[in-house]
Each structure stands twice: as C-alpha cells, then as structure tokens.
Amino acid sequence: MMTVPAPTTHDVLKALASDVRFEMVRILAHGEHCVCDLEGILLLPQSKVSYHLAALKEAGLVSSEQRGKNSYYRLERGPLYSLGSDLLQALLTPDPVLTQRINSVC
C-alpha cells in the first residue's frame, strides 16, 4: 500500500486561497454538514461543492463520514491551529542556498 504524504503548509494555504473553500471552512467551523446542505447554503451545484470539498480533504482540512446515501463533512481544526506557526517556520527558517550567497548582485 502506498503512503500519501502529509499536506504541506503550502498545500493548506492553496486550499484556503479559494473564496469558495474559505467560505466552506467558515461554515464547517460551526458544525458538520452534508453535501446537500452545503449546496443550498453556497448556492452551488453538487459537482462544484464536491470538487471543493475534495480539495479541502486532500489538504487535511476536512474529513468525511458516509451515512446512508449522504456524505457528512466536518472541519479538522488541528491543521488550522498549527497553520500560523507552520507558516512562520517555513518563511523564517534559514535556507542554506540563500544564506551562503556571499556576493551581492547589486
């Protein structure tokens, strides 16, 4: 069985960069919803809702549970709680390639 790598900080930021996905996260922060609920709230067709939920799930921001014919999605708060520190670490950790450059171009 192939192991899927954990989403990176960049993956999470890309997932949140979409207005629709950002709104979905805001909605799911107040409780789980099925796809049909999200269709009605967002006024989007099922295909678009499912597409955006798949992107959020791939980024580790939501999880789902099948109940009968419906899939229910809930927010995974852990990745959001750690996003700030992960982002700062990714941005501020010295990169040897950049810090070893001695000669200035200008």
Side-chain angles (χ1 to χ4, degrees):
M1 185 172 163
M2 192 167 80
T3 305
V4 177
T8 64
T9 302
H10 188 247
D11 296 331
V12 174
L13 289 173
K14 283 192 325 186
L16 290 171
S18 160
D19 291 342
V20 171
R21 292 191 290 266
F22 187 82
E23 188 61 24
M24 284 180 164
V25 167
R26 287 174 38 92
I27 293 165
L28 293 172
H30 299 285
E32 71 176 17
H33 288 280
C34 66
V35 174
C36 56
D37 288 343
L38 293 170
E39 287 176 56
I41 295 167
L42 296 166
L43 302 175
L44 292 173
Q46 181 271 328
S47 59
K48 284 199 184 277
V49 170
S50 294
Y51 169 81
H52 288 293
L53 285 169
L56 291 171
K57 192 171 183 178
E58 189 174 307
L61 293 170
V62 300
S63 58
S64 65
E65 179 182 337
Q66 190 74 30
R67 294 187 207 148
K69 294 187 291 182
N70 295 324
S71 291
Y72 285 81
Y73 287 82
R74 77 184 68 68
L75 182 64
E76 293 297 330
R77 294 174 185 273
L80 290 174
Y81 290 147
S82 62
L83 182 59
S85 64
D86 293 346
L87 178 60
L88 288 173
Q89 184 176 5
L91 291 173
L92 301 178
T93 300
D95 184 341
V97 174
L98 298 175
T99 57
Q100 290 179 4
R101 186 175 288 163
I102 298 170
N103 298 329
S104 177
V105 178
C106 37

XYZ file of all heavy atoms in Angstrom:
815
model
N 0.837 -1.183 0.000
C 0.000 0.000 0.000
C 0.885 1.251 0.000
O 1.842 1.353 0.747
C -0.902 -0.014 1.234
C -1.879 1.101 1.255
S -3.024 0.813 2.625
C -3.686 2.406 2.772
N 0.536 2.219 -0.830
C 1.326 3.432 -0.959
C 0.908 4.451 0.099
O -0.274 4.682 0.333
C 1.129 4.023 -2.358
C 2.119 5.096 -2.687
S 2.117 5.517 -4.427
C 0.711 6.596 -4.524
N 1.903 5.065 0.744
C 1.639 6.078 1.754
C 1.524 7.448 1.090
O 2.368 7.824 0.291
C 2.780 6.107 2.787
O 2.936 4.810 3.324
C 2.489 7.093 3.893
N 0.472 8.174 1.436
C 0.261 9.517 0.902
C 0.962 10.502 1.829
O 0.760 10.460 3.042
C -1.251 9.842 0.815
C -1.476 11.249 0.329
C -1.953 8.832 -0.068
N 1.805 11.394 1.277
C 2.495 12.352 2.145
C 1.520 13.329 2.800
O 0.480 13.661 2.232
C 3.456 13.082 1.199
C 2.900 12.866 -0.163
C 2.138 11.570 -0.124
N 1.883 13.757 3.985
C 1.042 14.734 4.706
C 1.030 16.053 3.949
O 2.031 16.427 3.337
C 1.598 14.934 6.112
N -0.089 16.747 3.974
C -0.152 18.049 3.297
C 0.861 19.030 3.886
O 1.076 19.063 5.095
C -1.577 18.533 3.566
C -2.342 17.327 3.984
C -1.350 16.393 4.607
N 1.450 19.820 3.030
C 2.407 20.829 3.468
C 1.668 22.122 3.807
O 0.486 22.271 3.496
C 3.431 21.125 2.360
O 2.733 21.704 1.245
C 4.158 19.866 1.917
N 2.387 23.047 4.408
C 1.818 24.366 4.698
C 1.341 25.012 3.402
O 0.269 25.616 3.358
C 2.866 25.255 5.390
O 3.296 24.608 6.583
C 2.308 26.624 5.726
N 2.128 24.849 2.359
C 1.766 25.406 1.053
C 0.457 24.797 0.555
O -0.398 25.508 0.002
C 2.908 25.158 0.070
C 2.729 25.845 -1.231
N 2.521 25.145 -2.395
C 2.713 27.156 -1.568
C 2.383 26.001 -3.394
N 2.494 27.219 -2.920
N 0.267 23.490 0.731
C -0.970 22.819 0.323
C -2.181 23.404 1.053
O -3.236 23.633 0.452
C -0.906 21.310 0.603
C 0.153 20.585 -0.204
O 0.465 21.033 -1.333
O 0.676 19.572 0.303
N -2.034 23.629 2.343
C -3.134 24.176 3.143
C -3.457 25.602 2.690
O -4.631 25.961 2.519
C -2.800 24.132 4.651
C -3.881 24.822 5.470
C -2.624 22.695 5.114
N -2.425 26.402 2.465
C -2.653 27.779 2.009
C -3.329 27.805 0.649
O -4.225 28.620 0.412
C -1.330 28.545 1.965
C -0.730 28.891 3.324
C 0.662 29.482 3.140
C -1.622 29.843 4.086
N -2.910 26.934 -0.261
C -3.544 26.875 -1.580
C -5.010 26.501 -1.448
O -5.865 27.059 -2.141
C -2.828 25.864 -2.486
C -1.542 26.372 -3.049
C -0.949 25.523 -4.159
C -1.140 24.059 -4.063
N -0.429 23.288 -5.078
N -5.319 25.565 -0.558
C -6.713 25.152 -0.370
C -7.557 26.309 0.155
O -8.703 26.488 -0.255
C -6.786 23.953 0.571
N -6.991 27.098 1.046
C -7.734 28.216 1.635
C -7.783 29.441 0.725
O -8.553 30.371 0.979
C -7.104 28.608 2.974
C -7.284 27.599 4.102
C -6.442 28.000 5.303
C -8.745 27.464 4.477
N -6.981 29.460 -0.327
C -6.915 30.625 -1.216
C -8.171 30.797 -2.065
O -8.438 31.879 -2.568
C -5.687 30.532 -2.117
N -8.951 29.759 -2.219
C -10.202 29.843 -2.973
C -11.289 30.446 -2.090
O -11.483 30.022 -0.943
C -10.624 28.446 -3.424
O -11.991 28.399 -3.735
N -11.999 31.423 -2.624
C -13.094 32.040 -1.864
C -14.144 31.017 -1.451
O -14.663 31.055 -0.331
C -13.772 33.144 -2.680
C -12.883 34.360 -2.886
O -11.896 34.509 -2.145
O -13.178 35.151 -3.797
N -14.469 30.104 -2.339
C -15.489 29.088 -2.043
C -15.006 28.175 -0.922
O -15.740 27.903 0.036
C -15.842 28.268 -3.303
C -16.729 27.081 -2.960
C -16.500 29.145 -4.353
N -13.767 27.699 -1.016
C -13.251 26.798 0.021
C -13.091 27.514 1.355
O -13.356 26.933 2.410
C -11.947 26.156 -0.441
C -12.178 25.188 -1.591
C -10.974 24.344 -1.891
N -9.880 25.055 -2.477
C -9.647 25.159 -3.784
N -10.463 24.597 -4.649
N -8.593 25.804 -4.221
N -12.690 28.773 1.320
C -12.580 29.550 2.554
C -13.954 29.663 3.221
O -14.091 29.489 4.437
C -12.006 30.941 2.254
C -11.697 31.741 3.487
C -10.514 31.555 4.171
C -12.610 32.671 3.958
C -10.226 32.296 5.317
C -12.337 33.411 5.099
C -11.140 33.220 5.779
N -14.984 29.919 2.424
C -16.345 30.010 2.964
C -16.808 28.660 3.509
O -17.474 28.591 4.551
C -17.308 30.531 1.899
C -18.693 30.834 2.431
C -18.732 31.903 3.510
O -17.819 32.747 3.592
O -19.701 31.891 4.303
N -16.447 27.569 2.824
C -16.802 26.234 3.322
C -16.178 25.984 4.693
O -16.834 25.436 5.585
C -16.318 25.155 2.348
C -17.146 25.025 1.125
S -16.446 23.722 0.075
C -17.830 23.450 -1.018
N -14.925 26.377 4.860
C -14.256 26.208 6.152
C -14.986 27.015 7.217
O -15.217 26.528 8.329
C -12.763 26.600 6.052
C -12.126 26.728 7.421
C -12.012 25.581 5.209
N -15.379 28.242 6.883
C -16.129 29.076 7.843
C -17.449 28.401 8.233
O -17.841 28.409 9.397
C -16.388 30.453 7.258
C -15.149 31.331 7.193
C -15.386 32.657 6.468
N -16.675 33.257 6.726
C -16.932 34.148 7.696
N -15.970 34.533 8.497
N -18.133 34.658 7.844
N -18.134 27.813 7.264
C -19.413 27.135 7.532
C -19.186 25.900 8.405
O -19.884 25.672 9.394
C -20.115 26.762 6.215
C -20.558 28.032 5.472
C -21.293 25.827 6.461
C -20.924 27.806 4.017
N -18.194 25.093 8.030
C -17.930 23.854 8.755
C -17.351 24.103 10.148
O -17.393 23.225 11.006
C -17.012 22.946 7.937
C -17.639 22.404 6.654
C -16.601 21.669 5.808
C -18.828 21.499 6.961
N -16.846 25.312 10.397
C -16.349 25.655 11.728
C -17.483 25.664 12.752
O -17.251 25.535 13.952
C -15.656 27.019 11.693
N -18.733 25.771 12.267
C -19.892 25.805 13.161
C -20.590 24.458 13.274
O -21.624 24.351 13.923
C -20.880 26.870 12.683
C -20.279 28.239 12.692
N -20.068 28.956 13.846
C -19.792 28.993 11.683
C -19.490 30.101 13.545
N -19.314 30.155 12.240
N -20.041 23.430 12.617
C -20.619 22.095 12.721
C -20.588 21.369 11.395
O -20.388 21.978 10.342
N -20.778 20.071 11.466
C -20.722 19.265 10.248
C -21.960 19.485 9.375
O -23.015 19.861 9.879
C -20.550 17.786 10.577
C -21.749 17.123 11.177
C -21.540 15.631 11.384
O -20.399 15.154 11.375
O -22.552 14.955 11.573
N -21.775 19.258 8.080
C -22.864 19.403 7.117
C -22.716 18.340 6.040
O -21.606 17.932 5.705
C -22.825 20.776 6.431
C -23.224 21.905 7.307
N -24.540 22.220 7.572
C -22.487 22.798 7.999
C -24.583 23.252 8.376
N -23.354 23.625 8.648
N -23.843 17.949 5.475
C -23.808 17.055 4.324
C -23.644 17.907 3.065
O -23.835 19.131 3.089
C -25.053 16.178 4.247
S -26.586 17.052 3.923
N -23.300 17.257 1.978
C -23.081 17.959 0.716
C -24.328 18.729 0.301
O -24.243 19.883 -0.136
C -22.643 16.969 -0.386
C -22.560 17.652 -1.735
C -21.307 16.330 -0.032
N -25.490 18.121 0.483
C -26.727 18.801 0.058
C -26.977 20.073 0.867
O -27.470 21.064 0.331
C -27.921 17.859 0.096
S -28.219 17.070 1.673
N -26.602 20.082 2.154
C -26.704 21.307 2.953
C -25.809 22.398 2.373
O -26.216 23.551 2.238
C -26.276 21.071 4.408
C -27.266 20.258 5.207
O -28.433 20.131 4.780
O -26.865 19.741 6.269
N -24.578 22.020 2.044
C -23.621 22.986 1.522
C -24.053 23.517 0.159
O -23.838 24.693 -0.140
C -22.225 22.363 1.443
C -21.596 22.044 2.810
C -20.343 21.214 2.645
C -21.310 23.323 3.577
N -24.682 22.663 -0.645
C -25.221 23.124 -1.931
C -26.201 24.274 -1.704
O -26.140 25.297 -2.390
C -25.979 21.994 -2.641
C -25.143 20.915 -3.238
C -26.028 19.812 -3.817
O -26.891 20.115 -4.678
O -25.865 18.661 -3.389
N -27.113 24.090 -0.775
C -28.129 25.100 -0.502
C -27.557 26.366 0.103
O -27.964 27.473 -0.251
N -26.599 26.217 1.005
C -26.003 27.384 1.658
C -25.180 28.202 0.664
O -25.257 29.430 0.633
C -25.119 26.947 2.851
C -25.976 26.305 3.945
C -24.322 28.121 3.398
C -25.177 25.580 5.012
N -24.387 27.507 -0.154
C -23.476 28.191 -1.072
C -24.096 28.504 -2.438
O -23.489 29.204 -3.242
C -22.214 27.336 -1.276
C -21.369 27.117 -0.019
C -20.359 26.005 -0.254
C -20.685 28.409 0.380
N -25.283 27.955 -2.678
C -25.963 28.114 -3.970
C -25.082 27.653 -5.132
O -24.937 28.338 -6.145
C -26.412 29.567 -4.166
C -27.345 30.126 -3.094
C -27.619 31.599 -3.333
C -28.628 29.317 -3.008
N -24.493 26.462 -4.938
C -23.633 25.851 -5.949
C -24.143 24.460 -6.275
O -24.739 23.801 -5.419
C -22.193 25.742 -5.437
C -21.416 27.035 -5.237
C -20.081 26.750 -4.558
C -21.191 27.724 -6.575
N -23.887 23.978 -7.494
C -24.292 22.611 -7.831
C -23.434 21.584 -7.075
O -22.315 21.890 -6.636
C -24.055 22.527 -9.339
C -23.073 23.583 -9.651
C -23.272 24.665 -8.622
N -23.966 20.392 -6.952
C -23.302 19.314 -6.218
C -21.895 19.065 -6.747
O -20.968 18.844 -5.962
C -24.155 18.039 -6.306
C -23.589 16.851 -5.558
C -22.653 16.010 -6.411
O -22.829 15.897 -7.624
N -21.659 15.437 -5.788
N -21.692 19.120 -8.046
C -20.369 18.832 -8.618
C -19.314 19.827 -8.123
O -18.195 19.440 -7.786
C -20.428 18.837 -10.144
O -20.868 20.096 -10.628
N -19.670 21.104 -8.045
C -18.717 22.118 -7.571
C -18.456 21.973 -6.074
O -17.323 22.107 -5.619
C -19.219 23.522 -7.879
C -19.058 23.903 -9.330
C -19.130 25.397 -9.492
C -19.059 25.788 -10.942
N -17.712 25.859 -11.452
N -19.500 21.696 -5.310
C -19.335 21.504 -3.866
C -18.409 20.309 -3.616
O -17.458 20.401 -2.832
C -20.698 21.311 -3.174
C -20.521 20.877 -1.720
C -21.525 22.586 -3.254
N -18.649 19.219 -4.308
C -17.822 18.026 -4.137
C -16.377 18.275 -4.550
O -15.444 17.806 -3.901
C -18.404 16.861 -4.937
O -19.645 16.480 -4.402
N -16.182 19.015 -5.630
C -14.832 19.347 -6.105
C -14.065 20.118 -5.024
O -12.919 19.796 -4.702
C -14.922 20.165 -7.396
C -13.612 20.765 -7.825
C -12.676 19.998 -8.503
C -13.302 22.084 -7.533
C -11.451 20.539 -8.879
C -12.089 22.636 -7.903
C -11.171 21.858 -8.587
O -9.963 22.396 -8.953
N -14.693 21.130 -4.462
C -14.024 21.954 -3.454
C -13.821 21.189 -2.150
O -12.788 21.361 -1.488
C -14.804 23.247 -3.225
C -14.694 24.206 -4.368
N -13.519 24.834 -4.709
C -15.614 24.640 -5.259
C -13.714 25.620 -5.755
N -14.985 25.519 -6.103
N -14.774 20.338 -1.782
C -14.603 19.521 -0.584
C -13.442 18.546 -0.753
O -12.686 18.298 0.195
C -15.892 18.762 -0.261
C -17.011 19.600 0.352
C -18.313 18.811 0.364
C -16.643 20.069 1.752
N -13.275 18.004 -1.950
C -12.155 17.085 -2.217
C -10.820 17.813 -2.035
O -9.867 17.251 -1.471
C -12.270 16.504 -3.615
N -10.745 19.069 -2.486
C -9.513 19.849 -2.319
C -9.233 20.107 -0.834
O -8.082 20.009 -0.383
C -9.613 21.164 -3.082
N -10.261 20.421 -0.072
C -10.092 20.637 1.367
C -9.696 19.349 2.080
O -8.873 19.366 2.996
C -11.371 21.203 1.977
C -11.728 22.629 1.588
C -13.132 22.991 2.093
C -10.695 23.620 2.117
N -10.266 18.250 1.644
C -9.948 16.952 2.249
C -8.502 16.564 1.947
O -7.779 16.092 2.823
C -10.920 15.890 1.735
C -10.858 14.597 2.503
C -11.987 13.678 2.088
C -11.960 12.407 2.905
N -13.080 11.513 2.566
N -8.073 16.803 0.712
C -6.696 16.496 0.322
C -5.706 17.335 1.130
O -4.609 16.878 1.443
C -6.510 16.767 -1.170
C -5.203 16.281 -1.722
C -5.135 16.435 -3.224
O -6.053 15.947 -3.912
O -4.162 17.038 -3.705
N -6.083 18.541 1.479
C -5.226 19.418 2.281
C -5.316 19.099 3.779
O -4.651 19.740 4.583
C -5.604 20.873 2.041
N -6.145 18.129 4.142
C -6.275 17.726 5.543
C -7.148 18.636 6.376
O -7.154 18.547 7.598
N -7.913 19.509 5.720
C -8.731 20.478 6.458
C -10.118 19.966 6.817
O -10.751 20.504 7.723
C -8.856 21.775 5.651
C -7.553 22.553 5.504
C -7.721 23.679 4.499
C -7.104 23.089 6.850
N -10.613 18.968 6.096
C -11.913 18.377 6.416
C -11.804 16.861 6.370
O -10.918 16.303 5.725
C -13.048 18.854 5.469
C -13.243 20.348 5.536
C -12.823 18.398 4.054
N -12.707 16.226 7.057
C -12.847 14.774 6.975
C -14.315 14.488 6.695
O -15.175 15.351 6.867
C -12.387 14.100 8.267
O -13.128 14.578 9.363
N -14.581 13.269 6.240
C -15.958 12.940 5.875
C -16.354 11.595 6.449
O -15.516 10.768 6.795
C -16.120 12.925 4.356
O -15.339 11.891 3.793
N -17.673 11.430 6.532
C -18.252 10.174 7.006
C -19.491 9.900 6.164
O -20.328 10.786 5.967
C -18.630 10.323 8.479
C -19.256 9.078 9.070
C -19.668 9.296 10.523
O -19.117 10.195 11.182
O -20.571 8.569 10.977
N -19.565 8.691 5.658
C -20.719 8.285 4.853
C -21.817 7.786 5.784
O -21.577 6.944 6.641
C -20.302 7.164 3.886
C -21.325 6.823 2.849
C -21.421 7.879 1.762
O -20.453 8.538 1.442
N -22.599 8.042 1.203
N -23.017 8.348 5.640
C -24.185 7.906 6.401
C -25.314 7.694 5.415
O -25.899 8.666 4.927
C -24.594 8.940 7.444
C -23.578 9.142 8.531
C -24.117 10.045 9.610
N -23.013 10.728 10.255
C -23.074 11.933 10.764
N -24.194 12.629 10.696
N -22.028 12.472 11.328
N -25.589 6.449 5.132
C -26.593 6.137 4.116
C -26.126 6.648 2.776
O -25.004 6.374 2.352
N -26.948 7.431 2.117
C -26.591 7.980 0.814
C -25.829 9.297 0.917
O -25.325 9.798 -0.080
C -27.850 8.204 -0.034
C -28.573 6.924 -0.411
C -29.692 7.186 -1.388
C -30.820 7.941 -0.722
N -31.964 8.190 -1.612
N -25.740 9.869 2.101
C -25.142 11.192 2.257
C -23.746 11.135 2.858
O -23.467 10.316 3.728
C -26.031 12.074 3.141
C -27.362 12.360 2.516
O -27.468 12.527 1.308
N -28.400 12.410 3.332
N -22.902 12.050 2.402
C -21.572 12.241 2.987
C -21.615 13.488 3.846
O -22.056 14.548 3.398
C -20.518 12.425 1.890
O -20.327 11.236 1.181
N -21.164 13.349 5.085
C -21.115 14.464 6.016
C -19.669 14.888 6.211
O -18.792 14.046 6.385
C -21.732 14.062 7.363
C -23.232 13.982 7.306
C -23.873 12.859 6.802
C -24.010 15.044 7.740
C -25.254 12.796 6.726
C -25.395 14.991 7.675
C -26.006 13.860 7.170
O -27.382 13.805 7.096
N -19.448 16.180 6.169
C -18.102 16.737 6.290
C -17.986 17.542 7.563
O -18.914 18.223 7.972
C -17.785 17.633 5.078
C -17.541 16.823 3.838
C -18.605 16.351 3.068
C -16.248 16.496 3.448
C -18.383 15.585 1.946
C -16.017 15.732 2.318
C -17.090 15.284 1.571
O -16.867 14.513 0.458
N -16.813 17.437 8.180
C -16.520 18.203 9.393
C -15.130 18.817 9.261
O -14.262 18.282 8.580
C -16.639 17.346 10.642
C -15.498 16.408 10.900
C -15.707 15.499 12.096
N -16.738 14.505 11.943
C -16.684 13.460 11.114
N -15.660 13.306 10.327
N -17.648 12.593 11.063
N -14.949 19.924 9.919
C -13.681 20.633 9.907
C -12.680 19.931 10.813
O -13.014 19.537 11.928
C -13.897 22.075 10.392
C -12.684 22.985 10.402
C -12.164 23.206 8.986
C -13.035 24.304 11.056
N -11.461 19.783 10.322
C -10.345 19.288 11.140
C -9.600 20.533 11.619
O -8.956 21.222 10.841
C -9.432 18.367 10.314
C -10.084 17.067 9.907
C -10.459 16.198 11.097
O -9.767 16.272 12.139
O -11.444 15.446 10.988
N -9.718 20.831 12.872
C -9.192 22.089 13.402
C -7.674 22.090 13.584
O -7.045 23.145 13.527
C -9.878 22.417 14.719
C -11.362 22.699 14.514
C -12.097 22.897 15.832
N -13.512 23.048 15.601
C -14.112 24.208 15.342
N -13.395 25.305 15.291
N -15.407 24.256 15.146
N -7.084 20.939 13.785
C -5.638 20.853 14.034
C -4.788 21.557 12.985
O -3.908 22.363 13.343
N -5.011 21.286 11.699
C -4.197 21.971 10.688
C -4.355 23.490 10.712
O -3.402 24.217 10.435
C -4.712 21.394 9.366
C -5.304 20.078 9.712
C -5.873 20.259 11.098
N -5.543 23.972 11.068
C -5.748 25.423 11.144
C -5.037 26.008 12.359
O -4.456 27.086 12.291
C -7.233 25.758 11.191
C -7.998 25.499 9.902
C -9.484 25.734 10.122
C -7.485 26.365 8.779
N -5.082 25.276 13.486
C -4.422 25.755 14.693
C -2.908 25.862 14.490
O -2.281 26.770 15.018
C -4.713 24.834 15.881
C -6.137 24.884 16.386
C -6.740 23.764 16.915
C -6.878 26.055 16.339
C -8.044 23.796 17.392
C -8.178 26.104 16.811
C -8.754 24.971 17.333
O -10.045 25.018 17.803
N -2.335 24.941 13.746
C -0.884 24.946 13.560
C -0.432 25.739 12.333
O 0.762 25.933 12.140
C -0.360 23.513 13.479
O -0.907 22.849 12.365
N -1.362 26.221 11.536
C -1.001 26.912 10.296
C -0.111 28.129 10.526
O 0.877 28.322 9.824
C -2.261 27.318 9.522
C -2.040 28.014 8.184
C -1.246 27.131 7.233
C -3.377 28.400 7.563
N -0.434 28.934 11.501
C 0.360 30.138 11.754
C 1.806 29.812 12.072
O 2.728 30.378 11.480
N 2.021 28.894 13.007
C 3.398 28.559 13.371
C 4.106 27.836 12.234
O 5.293 28.071 11.990
C 3.433 27.724 14.657
O 2.804 26.483 14.460
N 3.389 26.978 11.509
C 3.994 26.283 10.366
C 4.413 27.276 9.289
O 5.485 27.146 8.684
C 3.023 25.263 9.770
C 2.739 24.098 10.692
O 3.478 23.916 11.693
O 1.768 23.361 10.422
N 3.572 28.280 9.054
C 3.878 29.287 8.039
C 5.101 30.101 8.447
O 6.010 30.316 7.644
C 2.673 30.199 7.821
C 2.862 31.337 6.826
C 3.205 30.804 5.446
C 1.604 32.182 6.769
N 5.139 30.539 9.687
C 6.296 31.304 10.155
C 7.576 30.480 10.078
O 8.625 30.985 9.669
C 6.064 31.802 11.580
C 5.049 32.928 11.718
C 4.787 33.221 13.191
C 5.519 34.171 10.987
N 7.493 29.226 10.447
C 8.666 28.371 10.386
C 9.131 28.196 8.936
O 10.321 28.282 8.644
C 8.377 27.004 11.014
C 9.588 26.111 11.059
C 9.311 24.808 11.777
O 8.179 24.530 12.175
N 10.325 23.995 11.953
N 8.192 27.990 8.023
C 8.554 27.812 6.619
C 9.174 29.084 6.039
O 10.106 29.019 5.229
C 7.318 27.410 5.803
N 8.671 30.237 6.452
C 9.174 31.500 5.912
C 10.475 31.959 6.562
O 11.327 32.549 5.897
C 8.123 32.605 6.091
C 6.866 32.481 5.249
C 5.861 33.550 5.660
C 7.179 32.579 3.770
N 10.639 31.704 7.852
C 11.753 32.280 8.587
C 12.925 31.341 8.834
O 13.965 31.791 9.313
C 11.252 32.843 9.920
C 10.167 33.924 9.797
C 9.714 34.362 11.170
C 10.645 35.098 8.969
N 12.778 30.064 8.531
C 13.890 29.138 8.695
C 14.939 29.438 7.629
O 14.602 29.487 6.441
C 13.408 27.675 8.575
O 12.444 27.439 9.598
C 14.561 26.701 8.719
N 16.187 29.658 8.042
C 17.231 29.986 7.071
C 17.396 28.873 6.023
O 17.378 27.698 6.341
C 18.495 30.110 7.920
C 18.014 30.341 9.309
C 16.693 29.644 9.406
N 17.537 29.286 4.784
C 17.766 28.372 3.671
C 19.247 28.442 3.333
O 19.743 29.509 2.946
C 16.913 28.789 2.477
C 17.014 27.833 1.306
O 17.983 27.045 1.251
O 16.136 27.882 0.433
N 19.988 27.340 3.467
C 21.433 27.372 3.213
C 21.787 27.909 1.826
O 22.792 28.589 1.668
C 21.859 25.916 3.348
C 20.780 25.249 4.109
C 19.537 26.028 3.863
N 20.964 27.639 0.847
C 21.236 28.126 -0.506
C 21.221 29.651 -0.531
O 22.044 30.283 -1.183
C 20.203 27.556 -1.511
C 20.392 28.170 -2.882
C 20.314 26.040 -1.577
N 20.289 30.247 0.203
C 20.184 31.700 0.224
C 21.178 32.354 1.166
O 21.726 33.415 0.877
C 18.760 32.112 0.621
C 17.648 31.660 -0.319
C 16.287 32.024 0.252
C 17.825 32.238 -1.704
N 21.436 31.728 2.307
C 22.325 32.343 3.285
C 23.788 32.180 2.931
O 24.622 32.924 3.442
C 22.066 31.772 4.693
O 22.216 30.358 4.663
C 20.683 32.141 5.184
N 24.144 31.240 2.073
C 25.536 31.059 1.686
C 25.944 31.934 0.522
O 27.099 31.982 0.157
C 25.792 29.586 1.340
C 25.745 28.696 2.549
C 25.963 27.238 2.204
O 26.220 26.894 1.070
N 25.860 26.381 3.200
N 24.996 32.636 -0.058
C 25.308 33.543 -1.161
C 26.042 34.748 -0.565
O 25.477 35.526 0.171
C 24.041 33.987 -1.862
C 24.336 34.821 -3.108
C 23.094 35.157 -3.856
N 22.614 33.932 -4.498
C 21.386 33.781 -4.969
N 20.514 34.752 -4.889
N 21.022 32.657 -5.532
N 27.319 34.856 -0.888
C 28.160 35.896 -0.295
C 28.164 37.159 -1.140
O 28.074 38.266 -0.630
C 29.597 35.369 -0.089
C 29.567 34.199 0.887
C 30.530 36.466 0.387
C 30.855 33.442 1.000
N 28.280 37.026 -2.429
C 28.389 38.181 -3.309
C 27.026 38.742 -3.636
O 26.151 38.032 -4.095
C 29.096 37.791 -4.612
C 30.513 37.312 -4.362
O 31.166 37.763 -3.426
N 30.996 36.378 -5.166
N 26.886 40.013 -3.407
C 25.646 40.699 -3.733
C 25.599 40.993 -5.219
O 26.612 41.245 -5.853
C 25.561 42.006 -2.950
O 24.398 42.706 -3.321
N 24.417 40.946 -5.771
C 24.234 41.233 -7.194
C 24.299 42.739 -7.437
O 24.713 43.202 -8.494
C 22.890 40.661 -7.697
C 22.671 40.990 -9.152
C 22.856 39.160 -7.466
N 23.909 43.534 -6.453
C 23.889 44.983 -6.676
C 25.034 45.686 -6.000
O 25.774 45.272 -5.245
C 22.580 45.604 -6.214
S 21.853 44.923 -4.740
